[in-house]
Each structure stands twice: as structure tokens, then as C-alpha cells.
Amino acid sequence: MASVAMPEWDAELMLRVREGDEASFSLLLERHRRPVVHFLFRMVQNQAVAEELAQEVFLRVYRSRETYEPTAKFTTWLFRIATHLALNWIRDNRNERLQTSLDGEVLEGAVRQVSDNAPSIEQHLLRDARLAEIRSAIEALPAKQRAAVLMHKYEELDYAQIAQILECSESAVKSLLFRAYETLRLKLARFAR
Amino acid sequence: MHTGNSVTNGLHSPDPAQCPLQAGGEAVIFLHWMEGSLNPEESALLERHAAACPSCHSVLQGHQAVRSALDDWQPEEVSPDFTRKLYAAIAQERRLPWWKRALAWAAPVPARAALPLAASCLLLLGAILFQSPFSPGFKAKQPVIVERVDVEQADRSLDDLNLLRELHEELKLEGATAGNL
């Protein structure tokens, strides 16, 4: 992931933002907008909510510009804000999400994510079903395990970063990840056949 | 990512006693294998072991399936007006008075959650002020005096009552005698 490759550069940009350089904020936004929105989307599984939360993440980054100190990697700090917001949202909307699941609605975005390589209708349906199953398996994970898996798998953050974000030890992160992947392995076992 | 060299200990043989699934704590090797952080030698050892160990083979296959399934899940692109909306929000915030900006910075609590809390605080404050010695309607509590009644005093009172009753009877008798005369 590009945002992990140059952490010092990110911190440097943020320090420039602190000095009042608005262009550096634009650069930071450009570099981290996609990973943050995608992480939040996978956490809350709703594109509109994910973008709303991502707006709040960057707004908080901007608000904190004057007090920013590069004590940790910029991405760690950024994903800490994003994770915090996502976990709060999940906590506050748990009942609503449960109701949606019970109503048997198709999760938003499941259909739109299918790439159009002109497959048959049957292939489309199979792919939709497979994606819905993956999303549902991820959604069923406890929120912290979900965050850990998404940061590990898609954002390629290391154990130390995930530990800092989730405020736990590295061994706790490994344990979270191991349990999460085991759950996913058992739930998605039929994909292995 | 994992950088240790000892994670593959016990994988040279398919002996179940040295199987990662059997050896406590070694199962995390699958995590390292999945994220690709094992070196090629370690990875080859694990895969060779799994080829001879049905349990490990099944776990590796399962993790591979999970990895490939997760790869398939690609999110939507970010809305084209994301940046515009963000800068609009920043501009709007700059126009806010300093105290509102400070509030937003401190804790952006949703209004629906904050209102009941604020109402409770106001009620509590009102109750405290109402009972305050500085409030106009405040009446200082009078000290409560509890009289102590001892047994002797009660006895004396009863004796006095009996004496009064006897006197009253005597007076009535005297009155009656005088009336007869």
C-alpha cells in the first residue's frame, strides 16, 4: 500500500499542514482517501456511511493540525481515528443492522461490485452469492476482529500498528487475527472445495 | 510482519507430535504463511508437511480459500464529490464561532445522545440550586430535638396520674355525701 511505504513523508506533510500549508493537506487527502474509505466501507458495509465517516476522519485530521506531533506513523494515527469512528458507528447501529439482516435485505453494493467481464447470468448470480457470503462472514465477526482482519489483509498494516490502533498488545493482535481467520476459514470452507 | 526464524520448528517431519496444529502456539504459522511473511524455505517446509498431514493440508487449503475470497471483495470507488464535500465542511467549520469549533474538536457527540444528558444535568443543577442556602426559598433545617424518656420518669408520671385519679374520686364522694346531708 502506498500510504505505508512513505510514513516519514506523510508526517512531513502533516507538519507542513501545521505550518499552514493547505496544499500538503490536499496531498495527504489524495494519498489516503481511497484506503480510508475502502476500510470504512468494509467495516460498515454501506458506501454512504463509509464516506460520511471518512469525511469525519479527515475533518479530525485537519482540526488536529495545530497540535499534531509525529509520535507515531501517520497511517497508524489515521487508521486509529477511522477505526474508532467505525467501531462507534457499529456499536450505535447494532440493532438497526440486526434488523436489516433479519429482514433478509441484500447488502448494499453487493451487485454493483461485480466486474463486468460479460459473464453469463448464472455466473453473475454465483459471484453475487459468493460475495454476499464473504461480506456476511466478515460482518459476523466481532467488531475488533473485523477491524484487525481488514487492516491486516487490505491495508497491510503490521502487527505493531494494528496493536497501537486497537490499543492492545501485538500478541493480542495475533490472537485476534488467528481467531478471525479461523472463523472465516470455517464459514467459507466450501470455497476451498 | 513476522520476521522470526523459529516458526517452522517441527515441520521437517509429518509426525503429528510436531505438527503445527498439535504443537501449542505454533498454529500462528498459518497466519504468517497466509500473509506471505514466511521466507521461501519456511513456506516450502510448511507446504511439504501439509502434503503429508491431512489436517494441516485442510487448514492450508481453507486459508488459501479465505485469502482468495477476500481478494475478490473489491469496494466501490470513492464518490467524485468526496473532496469537494470535505472542503465545504472545512470551510463551514472555519465560519463557526471559536466556542463551537472547540466543542466540535473536543467531542462531536451526536445531538440526540447529548440532549438527554444536557437535560439531566440541568435538572440536577436546578435541584442543587433550589436546595442551596443562597436560594431565596431555602429554609434551613431546624435541629430535631429528641426527648429522652427514662423509666423512672415514666413511673413518676403514672404515679402522679393515679394520685390525681384517687383525689378526683375522693372529691366526688365528698360531694355526694354533702348532697345527701
Side-chain angles (χ1 to χ4, degrees):
Chain A
M1 191 181 66
S3 55
V4 180
M6 294 187 288
E8 296 82 7
W9 175 233
D10 286 330
E12 176 62 36
L13 284 175
M14 195 59 203
L15 290 172
R16 285 188 205 170
V17 176
R18 191 174 73 177
E19 302 302 316
D21 180 7
E22 300 282 325
S24 293
F25 182 73
S26 296
L27 276 173
L28 278 173
L29 180 61
E30 196 59 40
R31 283 163 54 73
H32 298 287
R33 184 182 50 202
R34 282 186 81 235
V36 168
V37 174
H38 287 177
F39 167 72
L40 287 167
F41 169 72
R42 287 178 173 123
M43 279 295 284
V44 301
Q45 305 214 2
N46 179 310
Q47 185 70 14
V49 172
E51 292 201 6
E52 206 174 298
L53 292 176
Q55 295 263 335
E56 183 60 31
V57 171
F58 287 106
L59 210 51
R60 287 190 187 194
V61 168
Y62 188 79
R63 276 179 204 146
S64 311
R65 68 194 181 283
E66 282 164 17
T67 52
Y68 175 76
E69 290 296 338
T71 49
K73 278 184 181 176
F74 178 80
T75 42
T76 307
W77 181 55
L78 186 69
F79 276 93
R80 190 170 181 167
I81 300 172
T83 305
H84 179 74
L85 286 171
L87 292 177
N88 281 353
W89 188 90
I90 290 166
R91 185 198 59 205
D92 295 344
N93 294 274
R94 191 174 291 150
N95 293 337
E96 213 172 295
R97 300 288 293 171
L98 183 67
Q99 191 57 48
T100 309
S101 305
L102 290 174
D103 290 346
E105 282 178 22
V106 175
L107 291 164
E108 190 212 331
V111 176
R112 276 176 288 170
Q113 286 176 343
V114 178
S115 63
D116 192 13
N117 292 332
S120 68
I121 293 171
E122 194 184 341
Q123 281 173 313
H124 258 310
L125 290 172
L126 279 171
R127 190 172 160 77
D128 283 355
R130 181 181 154 94
L131 278 174
E133 215 168 316
I134 296 163
R135 291 168 59 124
S136 155
I138 292 276
E139 197 184 18
L141 290 175
K144 264 194 165 182
Q145 284 188 25
R146 195 189 317 176
V149 164
L150 297 179
M151 285 187 275
H152 177 254
K153 167 70 188 147
Y154 297 106
E155 310 311 325
E156 296 178 5
L157 300 187
D158 60 33
Y159 299 138
Q161 282 185 292
I162 300 173
Q164 273 186 291
I165 291 166
L166 296 178
E167 293 171 323
C168 58
S169 65
E170 281 187 45
S171 57
V173 167
K174 281 187 189 180
S175 167
L176 271 178
L177 284 171
F178 186 71
R179 277 184 283 142
Y181 281 122
E182 271 302 292
T183 308
L184 291 176
R185 184 175 70 83
L186 297 173
K187 284 202 171 176
L188 306 175
R190 64 187 194 80
F191 291 166
R193 286 169 204 148
Chain B
M1 297 290 163
H2 167 75
T3 52
N5 293 320
S6 60
V7 287
T8 50
N9 286 349
L11 293 174
H12 303 277
S13 154
D15 178 358
Q18 294 182 327
C19 170
L21 286 178
Q22 303 294 324
E26 286 297 319
V28 79
I29 193 172
F30 296 114
L31 187 62
H32 299 311
W33 176 82
M34 196 170 68
E35 69 191 14
S37 62
L38 293 181
N39 65 39
E41 193 188 332
E42 289 173 328
S43 207
L45 273 172
L46 180 63
E47 283 159 20
R48 211 162 39 240
H49 165 78
C53 172
S55 311
C56 286
H57 179 73
S58 156
V59 172
L60 277 198
Q61 215 175 19
H63 280 307
Q64 205 157 21
V66 168
R67 188 164 58 174
S68 128
L70 293 181
D71 282 340
D72 284 349
W73 186 19
Q74 293 306 317
E76 291 177 54
E77 275 310 306
V78 181
S79 303
D81 60 348
F82 180 89
T83 306
R84 186 192 55 76
K85 276 187 188 169
L86 178 65
Y87 280 111
I90 289 173
Q92 192 185 13
E93 203 169 279
R94 277 183 185 151
R95 287 194 293 270
L96 289 175
W98 68 268
W99 58 272
K100 276 194 177 176
R101 281 204 304 269
L103 272 178
W105 194 90
V109 181
R112 68 173 184 275
L115 280 176
L117 186 69
S120 311
C121 288
L122 276 175
L123 273 174
L124 191 66
L125 190 68
I128 291 168
L129 285 175
F130 186 70
Q131 289 297 318
S132 148
F134 305 108
S135 66
F138 177 77
K139 285 181 190 166
K141 284 183 183 170
Q142 298 297 321
V144 179
I145 300 163
V146 180
E147 285 184 27
R148 277 187 64 199
V149 180
D150 59 22
V151 180
E152 283 180 17
Q153 192 183 359
D155 268 353
R156 275 201 302 273
S157 301
L158 286 170
D159 288 346
D160 289 348
L161 279 171
N162 282 337
L163 202 65
L164 281 170
R165 199 177 296 129
E166 282 169 13
L167 189 65
H168 181 69
E169 293 295 320
E170 278 176 22
L171 283 172
K172 268 170 64 179
L173 278 172
E174 276 177 16
T177 316
N180 289 338
L181 289 172

